[in-house]
Amino acid sequence: MTWDLIGHQWAANILQQHILSGSVRHAYLFTGPEHVGKHRLALQFAQAINCRETSVPGVPCGQCRSCTLIQSYRHPDLHVLEKEEGRTTVRIEQVRALQYSLSLAPYEAERRIALLPDFHEATYHAWNALLKTLEEPSDRVVLLLTSPSTDLLLPTIVSRCEVLSLRQVAPSVIEKALAHHEGDAAEIQSATRLAIGCPGLAISYLEGEALQQQYGYRDDFFEWLQAGTAERLRKAETWMNWRAGFPQRQSQVKALLEAWVVLWRDILQQKLRQTAAPIHLEVLPELQIITAALETTQVLDQITRIEQALEELLANADPRLLLENLVAGFPAIPILSHSE
Ligand SMILES: [Zn+2]
């Protein structure tokens, strides 16, 4: 019996050892890229700490009342502190409410568990309030924080946590874990490559239309590259008109640009003759044509322009203008070009 994780077994081993040796810390911070598995690890750890029916100590059984309640976030001793709907940060009042709950004895578990996902998205006052709990820890409370990086939190918070830094998971590990997932082998391989080491992302690509949407972004990319300037702008207008209100247009353009960065990086990798397989392996011939038509500096320039546009988008720039500027500045690909 092992922890139900995709990768990160080293982290599970450390946490299991803490349980077995009776040295579970008062606070942990799991860092790593979005969708790499921080939250899943934290939840499994919460289960492992409180599971009383496991045949392997330190490994959650996943079946008992405690494990299933934690898995579904319904355990009375599990507290999840997240941003309220419509807010961009966790507020100090939420931390205070959590502190009150944690001050009470657990209902039924060995310890109360506080899960604080993406705690970098809290206000400064909320961070400071949490420090009090970190400085005066209770033996019956474990705090589990997640954040992409330690740099995004107060150093005083980080120094009071046991930090486990999760890294991207090897594609072979993700692909194997997804073998029984919905989708054929080619789709699973494609989702795995697109996920760039983040299992949660690979899973989300295999659900609904997410993978088809990525293929759509790629088709759009090739069409825009092949088109002449006037057609590029017309296509940008049509593309934007599909998207309704501003918030949705903003997130749609963000997703499109992020997909393009991956495509340009594939082209750069071809340009630099790196041996790793491109993420968009299915369209290698097209990538090779574009690679042959461009200089390395042109490819780098496109990546820089898109990354700048993504920053401007975050700063609430007009998505339509950004998209129009970007496609107008695409390099001409003579070999692919059949219009204008
Ligand atoms: Zn259990």
Side-chain angles (χ1 to χ4, degrees):
M1 200 162 76
T2 56
W3 289 35
D4 183 18
L5 295 169
I6 303 179
H8 317 307
Q9 195 52 52
W10 65 270
N13 292 345
I14 290 174
L15 298 172
Q16 185 181 357
Q17 206 48 48
H18 287 181
I19 295 172
L20 294 179
S21 60
S23 57
V24 170
R25 315 291 197 256
H26 297 296
Y28 291 81
L29 168 61
F30 304 117
T31 64
E34 210 179 344
H35 303 296
V36 82
K38 306 183 291 290
H39 195 93
R40 185 159 170 174
L41 179 67
L43 211 57
Q44 289 264 302
F45 186 36
Q47 289 178 319
I49 290 171
N50 285 313
C51 179
R52 294 289 160 268
E53 293 180 29
T54 179
S55 56
V56 184
V59 178
C61 76
Q63 308 290 327
C64 70
R65 174 186 152 79
S66 171
C67 282
T68 48
L69 285 179
I70 289 175
Q71 181 66 39
S72 56
Y73 302 98
R74 290 185 294 117
H75 197 294
D77 296 313
L78 176 71
H79 309 270
V80 184
L81 193 70
E82 285 183 300
K83 289 180 294 187
E84 290 159 342
E85 210 175 317
R87 293 202 178 257
T88 54
T89 53
V90 169
R91 296 177 305 124
I92 183 171
E93 292 80 2
Q94 292 177 270
V95 174
R96 290 201 175 125
L98 172 73
Q99 284 169 325
Y100 174 73
S101 303
L102 296 181
S103 71
L104 308 172
Y107 283 105
E108 56 184 70
E110 184 82 1
R111 298 166 197 256
R112 281 188 187 269
I113 308 279
L115 199 56
L116 298 98
D118 291 327
F119 198 60
H120 59 291
E121 295 178 324
T123 63
Y124 181 78
H125 295 299
W127 283 346
N128 260 326
L130 189 78
L131 265 180
K132 191 173 176 315
T133 304
L134 291 168
E135 283 163 355
E136 299 162 15
S138 154
D139 282 346
R140 305 205 69 183
V141 170
V142 181
L143 300 179
L144 305 176
L145 286 66
T146 77
S147 168
S149 155
T150 54
D151 299 343
L152 300 172
L153 288 165
L154 282 185
T156 40
I157 289 183
V158 176
S159 67
R160 284 173 175 82
C161 295
E162 175 96 7
V163 180
L164 273 74
S165 301
L166 306 189
R167 308 222 174 278
Q168 274 99 340
V169 178
S172 57
V173 174
I174 299 179
E175 201 181 316
K176 197 173 159 202
L178 296 181
H180 302 294
H181 210 280
E182 207 176 309
D184 61 30
E187 283 174 337
I188 288 172
Q189 285 168 5
S190 183
T192 300
R193 284 197 306 271
L194 278 166
I196 317 181
C198 295
L201 206 51
I203 291 168
S204 70
Y205 280 136
L206 291 172
E207 285 163 359
E209 298 295 306
L211 200 56
Q212 299 310 320
Q213 192 171 38
Q214 288 296 317
Y215 295 158
Y217 292 152
R218 187 172 71 198
D219 293 342
D220 287 337
F221 177 75
F222 290 144
E223 280 178 29
W224 256 304
L225 269 181
Q226 291 177 70
T229 308
E231 195 187 331
R232 284 175 179 180
L233 293 177
R234 264 199 306 279
K235 184 171 163 54
E237 193 180 349
T238 314
W239 199 91
M240 291 305 301
N241 286 342
W242 283 350
R243 276 78 193 169
F246 179 78
Q248 200 191 348
R249 286 194 323 176
Q250 192 186 34
S251 62
Q252 291 274 0
V253 171
K254 180 171 178 279
L256 178 72
L257 301 194
E258 284 170 346
W260 285 0
V261 171
V262 174
L263 280 153
W264 281 119
R265 290 221 172 107
D266 264 354
I267 293 163
L268 181 66
Q269 189 183 307
Q270 293 290 307
K271 199 76 212 163
L272 300 177
R273 299 184 187 283
Q274 290 173 351
T275 48
I279 287 167
H280 289 279
L281 186 62
E282 306 90 344
V283 290
L284 185 58
E286 287 88 338
L287 295 176
Q288 283 170 335
I289 291 171
I290 299 166
T291 303
L294 299 176
E295 298 296 331
T296 306
T297 50
Q298 287 178 290
V299 181
L300 284 169
D301 181 48
Q302 291 300 320
I303 294 173
T304 308
R305 291 179 72 231
I306 296 177
E307 283 175 345
Q308 275 170 0
L310 279 166
E311 278 176 29
E312 288 168 33
L313 202 58
L314 267 181
N316 277 333
D318 180 1
R320 176 190 295 269
L321 276 180
L322 281 179
L323 183 63
E324 285 174 357
N325 278 333
L326 275 177
V327 297
F330 268 7
I333 306 290
I335 301 169
L336 279 184
S337 182
H338 53 64
S339 56
E340 295 195 5

